[in-house]
Amino acid sequence: MMSATCELSSILTKANHAMYQISDPGQPAGSLSLGDSKDSLQLLTSAQLPAELLGPCKWYNTDPQFWSKQNVLEWISYHVEETKFDASTLNMAYCTLEGSVLCQMSRDTMLSMFGPLGDRLYHSLQDLKAKNRIRESSETFQVHMNSTVQTGQLSTGSPAPGCGTDFSKPTSRDVQSELKMMGELPSWSDLGYESGPTSPDSLDSSSAGMQNFPSSPDSGGSDSELDFSEMRLPSATDSYQEPGRAELKPGKRGRGRPRKLSRGAEDCMDTKKSKHAPRGTHLWEFIRDILIHPELNNGLMKWEDRREGVFKFLKSEAVAQLWGQKKKNSSMTYEKLSRAMRYYYKREILERVDGRRLVYKFGKNSSGWKKRESIGENG
DNA sequence: GTCGTGTTTCCTGCTT
DNA sequence: GAAGCAGGAAACACGA
């Protein structure tokens, strides 16, 4: 029971990680590299994604017959999230079947395997099979049309969900150039969380070379339906001086967090804020998740004493940037992150480790980092 | 609208 | 001097 929960949680977490990956790694000097990460996680559960954003998900656009285990996992994770299904009741072995195997199953078989979720999964599978059959034939038609009429952007007329591209949104190039301006900024692809073309946005953006723009949820319900507008990185104009702040005496600012842009201005930039956005994973969970995936965290952090929950930041700023990516806050720094970490002392989620820089320890109110709790993880 | 929570931002002072 | 730590203060986002 626990293991299934943890595993699925970890899967969802990985999906979450995929979300952070916002550009192809330019591999700046000193940045992280994992080598070939093609086989690494490409999970996209899209918990908060409306169905219409799922079009570009790899599994969505692939005939279930050809689904890899990864696709199957993504698909199941998506439905788990959508239905708020208790993942602990799932047998993880069933979640990593090949698509071809899945396709041969009867409804009853799926019911017995996935319980109440089986029915939904079965119908979803049937729908997707049908959809992909239709699409294949329409694509064949479209290829023909493209070669005949060079429109550049020939609409199929019945795009997959999520195809309603807003081309006014920043493209991957925008994002990437912003990233370059920021200097080193490891993304989850750097960490091995290659999201691949599973992103709901990636379909549309593929024309701009944007294959890896994941979206998605968090393990705990995410704070985000990610899209380009939200992943926007700071431009020169973004280092905002808040209204009112400028009126303070020069050289010295007032205490406290400066006000952000006015509502109106904010809305212009970020229309999605109005939607309810469940809280994302907390910082400590984010940290924990990095730690319990040592094969993927690629030297960002390490355990000093796994049993005791003692860990160390190896690339503090990189972790902060990653956290910033997750929170869509490109100005995140280790200093700020560490302040948030220090708030955990009071709540005993973290404990102080005196005299050691960049070293923290999980406290009694944290969970999921112990080996037993993070089944399937090493470290 | 209010409140609580969980940050985020900035600061000062201290330590390594 | 730089980086990191500690913690105060205030702002902000979000859910209840």
Side-chain angles (χ1 to χ4, degrees):
Chain A
M1 285 296 265
M2 186 62 192
S3 71
T5 309
C6 289
E7 191 139 356
L8 200 54
S9 159
S10 123
I11 288 159
L12 296 176
T13 296
K14 288 167 183 173
N16 189 28
H17 292 170
M19 158 185 126
Y20 309 140
Q21 194 260 315
I22 59 176
S23 73
D24 75 4
Q27 287 299 351
S31 72
L32 310 160
S33 168
L34 263 190
D36 186 357
S37 54
K38 281 189 176 63
D39 294 328
S40 52
L41 294 152
Q42 299 189 354
L43 185 52
L44 181 77
T45 60
S46 315
Q48 274 69 48
L49 291 176
E52 66 269 22
L53 289 180
L54 282 172
C57 294
K58 196 168 189 175
W59 57 262
Y60 189 94
N61 288 318
T62 305
D63 189 318
Q65 280 285 349
F66 305 118
W67 280 354
S68 63
K69 292 174 180 178
Q70 180 67 47
N71 295 143
V72 171
L73 210 48
E74 291 170 12
W75 170 69
I76 293 172
S77 299
Y78 167 70
H79 286 286
V80 164
E81 285 288 301
E82 281 288 293
T83 58
K84 306 292 177 210
F85 187 77
D86 179 7
S88 67
T89 63
L90 290 178
N91 181 337
M92 284 307 295
Y94 296 149
C95 299
T96 52
L97 297 167
E98 300 278 353
S100 55
V101 177
L102 218 51
C103 287
Q104 289 168 10
M105 290 178 183
S106 68
R107 181 171 169 276
D108 287 343
T109 307
M110 293 187 76
L111 277 170
S112 65
M113 285 168 58
F114 300 105
L117 193 64
D119 194 49
R120 181 186 169 112
L121 291 177
Y122 176 77
H123 286 109
S124 167
L125 198 63
Q126 301 313 309
D127 287 350
L128 288 166
K129 280 197 279 191
K131 180 190 81 67
N132 278 284
R133 274 197 294 274
I134 292 166
R135 209 189 42 181
E136 276 166 25
S137 55
S138 86
E139 278 174 356
T140 307
F141 173 73
Q142 190 181 333
V143 166
H144 171 72
M145 288 298 287
N146 269 330
S147 63
T148 311
V149 186
Q150 298 192 355
T151 60
Q153 286 216 350
L154 184 62
S155 164
T156 63
S158 59
C163 285
T165 309
D166 178 359
F167 288 102
S168 65
K169 289 174 180 174
T171 65
S172 60
R173 286 182 213 282
D174 297 328
V175 174
Q176 286 171 34
S177 61
E178 293 282 10
L179 274 171
K180 286 193 179 111
M181 289 172 70
M182 287 178 67
E184 177 175 341
L185 176 56
S187 67
W188 278 101
S189 64
D190 294 317
L191 304 182
Y193 292 101
E194 188 72 45
S195 68
T198 57
S199 156
D201 277 317
S202 65
L203 184 77
D204 295 323
S205 55
S206 60
S207 60
M210 192 54 162
Q211 297 282 340
N212 301 320
F213 209 108
S215 115
S216 197
D218 292 305
S219 50
S222 153
D223 52 314
S224 62
E225 297 113 285
L226 202 58
D227 71 7
F228 295 121
S229 60
E230 287 188 301
M231 288 303 281
R232 188 174 158 277
L233 286 160
S235 63
T237 54
D238 275 341
S239 48
Y240 59 83
Q241 280 302 355
E242 301 69 31
R245 203 46 86 180
E247 294 159 23
L248 292 167
K249 51 186 161 190
K252 186 131 180 168
R253 58 173 293 286
R255 278 193 161 274
R257 181 177 176 161
R259 288 181 185 282
K260 280 199 168 179
L261 295 169
S262 67
R263 256 296 169 206
E266 195 175 58
D267 288 349
C268 287
M269 290 168 59
D270 188 359
T271 55
K272 293 207 167 189
K273 284 285 187 214
S274 58
K275 279 188 197 168
H276 88 283
R279 275 193 194 284
T281 50
H282 297 154
L283 174 58
W284 72 267
E285 293 171 312
F286 168 81
I287 297 299
R288 177 200 64 193
D289 291 345
I290 291 177
L291 282 162
I292 64 179
H293 298 293
E295 74 281 14
L296 298 172
N297 87 35
N298 202 36
L300 287 178
M301 304 174 73
K302 70 166 187 179
W303 288 109
E304 292 272 289
D305 186 338
R306 174 76 191 255
R307 286 185 61 174
E308 294 296 316
V310 180
F311 59 93
K312 180 176 187 176
F313 283 84
L314 298 176
K315 296 176 181 174
S316 53
E317 282 303 327
V319 174
Q321 289 288 308
L322 216 48
W323 175 239
Q325 276 188 42
K326 174 170 168 51
K327 301 300 288 282
K328 284 156 268 172
N329 174 1
S330 54
S331 60
M332 179 52 62
T333 61
Y334 175 72
E335 192 183 350
K336 295 172 190 172
L337 183 148
S338 64
R339 179 70 191 99
M341 299 274 285
R342 289 195 295 275
Y343 270 119
Y344 288 138
Y345 293 152
K346 259 187 184 174
R347 295 158 58 199
E348 296 184 287
I349 288 169
L350 293 178
E351 291 176 20
R352 281 188 189 79
V353 176
D354 290 330
R356 301 201 58 197
R357 291 188 165 199
L358 301 173
V359 177
Y360 296 81
K361 180 181 178 184
F362 284 114
K364 62 183 181 188
N365 291 333
S366 61
S367 62
W369 54 269
K370 294 185 183 96
K371 269 192 174 168
R372 253 187 198 173
E373 293 178 22
S374 53
I375 304 292
E377 311 302 339
N378 45 28

